[in-house]
Amino acid sequence: MQNLLAQYFETKHFAAPTNEAHIDSPDFESGHFEAARLHALSAPQSETRAATLQPGHTSALPPAFAPMPAFAPLKVAMPPVEATAPAETASDPTVGQEESRDWSASARDLIDSLMIENERLHEQLHAVGLELREAQDMADADVLTPTLNRRAFLREVGRAMADCRRYGEEACLIYVDMDGFKSINDTYGHSAGDAALTHVAELLKASTREGDAIGRMGGDEFAVLLRRADLKSSRIKAMKLEAELALGTFEYNGLYLKCGGSFGVRAYTGQATPEAWLSEADAAMFLVKKAVR
C-alpha cells in the first residue's frame, strides 16, 4: 500500500517539469504538499533518495526537495477480519452441542450392545468348548470302565514315543490279562464280570501316576503306559500290581469276589508304531501266563 501511494505521488508531482514558481505557489503548499506529507516515503526509501543526492551529483528532483526530511511511514489501520459463523449456528448455538450429545449417546448404546454381544459369544464359546471336551472324553473313554478305549490309549502311546525320540526319555508298557474272569462270568453272570472289570481298572488307576495312561484293550485285557520309567522300575511296578490284585477283593451283591492277573512288561526301544510296541508287551504277558500254567 505504501509503495503504491509513493509511486502515485511521484508520478503526480515529481515527474512534472521543475518550476519553482509552481512549487512555491499557494496551491501546492495548501493541497499537494500537505498530501505529500501524509503519504511520504518510508525511512529506508528517504535514506535511499538522500544517498543519491551526493555533492556534485545531478538529480532530476528539484533543489527544493533535496533536503526534504524523511517522514515516518504511514500506518493504515485495517479492521480485523472476523470469521462469520453460519446463520444456523449463530441463530442457535446449541445445535452442535445437541448433535454431539446425541451422537455420544448413540455411540455409548452401540458400545454397550457390542459388549453384551461379545460377552454372549464368549459364553457360547465356553459352552461349546465344554461340550466338545465332554464329547471327546466320551469318545476316548471305555464304555464300561474308567479307562481309555483302545484308540485313545494308542494315541497316548504315540505321544510318549515321540517324547522318547525327541527328549531321550524312557517309557514302558505293562500288558495285563485277568485270571479267572471267565469263571466269574459263568458263575455269577455278566454283571459280576462287569464289576470285576471295573475293580481291576480302578486298582490300576489308583496305583499309577497322573501322567501315566491306562486303557482297556478289549475283553478282560488292559494296558498301562508308564512315562519316564525304565524297564527295571516298570517290572517292579508290575509285580506290585499283580500282588495287589491277587490279595484284593471286590463286592458284588453282598459277595466278596477276587480275581488275579498276568503282567507283561516291554520297554520302548525304538518300535516303529504304537501297535508294534503294544504287541510286544502282549507277547511278554503271554509268556508269563504260559510259564505259570
Side-chain angles (χ1 to χ4, degrees):
M1 181 64 73
Q2 295 175 359
N3 292 333
L4 291 176
L5 292 174
Q7 293 175 6
Y8 172 78
F9 284 103
E10 285 178 3
T11 305
K12 275 305 253 187
H13 304 291
F14 300 147
T18 306
N19 191 344
E20 296 182 2
H22 177 69
I23 294 174
D24 296 334
S25 63
D27 182 64
F28 181 83
E29 293 181 353
S30 60
H32 296 287
F33 183 75
E34 190 66 26
R37 292 181 61 187
L38 293 175
H39 303 284
L41 298 176
S42 61
Q45 292 172 335
S46 300
E47 291 173 0
T48 304
R49 292 182 181 275
T52 59
L53 300 178
Q54 299 295 331
H57 179 74
T58 60
S59 176
L61 291 177
F65 285 93
M68 185 177 65
F71 296 98
L74 178 63
K75 296 182 180 179
V76 181
M78 300 297 291
V81 180
E82 297 181 356
T84 57
E88 296 181 358
T89 307
S91 60
D92 190 0
T94 61
V95 172
Q97 297 178 0
E98 291 178 356
E99 292 180 355
S100 179
R101 286 196 296 268
D102 293 341
W103 184 87
S104 299
S106 62
R108 286 195 299 269
D109 293 340
L110 178 61
I111 293 173
D112 291 341
S113 63
L114 290 176
M115 292 179 64
I116 294 173
E117 181 66 16
N118 186 44
E119 185 176 356
R120 185 182 66 82
L121 291 175
H122 273 292
E123 292 177 356
Q124 289 183 354
L125 183 62
H126 181 68
V128 170
L130 293 178
E131 293 177 358
L132 180 62
R133 184 178 302 176
E134 183 179 357
Q136 184 176 359
D137 292 342
M138 292 179 62
D140 293 344
D142 180 57
V143 296
L144 181 62
T145 63
T147 62
L148 298 175
N149 55 30
R150 183 183 181 90
R151 178 187 62 82
F153 182 78
L154 288 176
R155 183 187 65 214
E156 294 299 320
V157 172
R159 292 175 178 174
M161 294 172 66
D163 290 341
C164 290
R165 288 192 295 266
R166 181 176 301 177
Y167 304 111
E169 296 179 354
E170 294 181 304
C172 288
L173 283 179
I174 300 177
Y175 204 94
V176 184
D177 181 60
M178 292 175 59
D179 296 333
F181 177 74
K182 186 176 184 303
S183 62
I184 293 175
N185 266 338
D186 295 342
T187 305
Y188 302 102
H190 291 287
S191 296
D194 293 345
L197 291 172
T198 302
H199 165 67
V200 173
E202 290 177 347
L203 186 147
L204 295 176
K205 190 174 182 179
S207 301
T208 52
R209 300 165 299 179
E210 184 178 358
D212 300 334
I214 304 169
R216 183 185 175 201
M217 300 297 100
D220 60 345
E221 296 179 352
F222 294 87
V224 180
L225 170 64
L226 299 178
R227 289 176 175 267
R228 299 180 182 86
D230 57 9
L231 182 60
K232 181 178 179 180
S233 61
S234 298
R235 284 176 175 173
I236 294 174
K237 184 68 174 180
M239 294 173 60
K240 291 182 178 179
L241 290 173
E242 183 180 3
E244 290 178 3
L245 187 60
L247 297 175
T249 58
F250 64 95
E251 191 272 335
Y252 175 73
N253 288 340
L255 300 175
Y256 290 91
L257 306 178
K258 65 184 303 182
C259 62
S262 299
F263 293 77
V265 182
R266 181 64 175 166
Y268 174 72
T269 56
Q271 289 82 353
T273 62
E275 290 81 359
W277 189 10
L278 188 66
S279 297
E280 292 181 6
D282 186 11
M285 179 276 302
F286 181 77
L287 292 176
V288 171
K289 184 182 283 290
K290 186 177 181 180
V292 172
R293 293 178 179 175

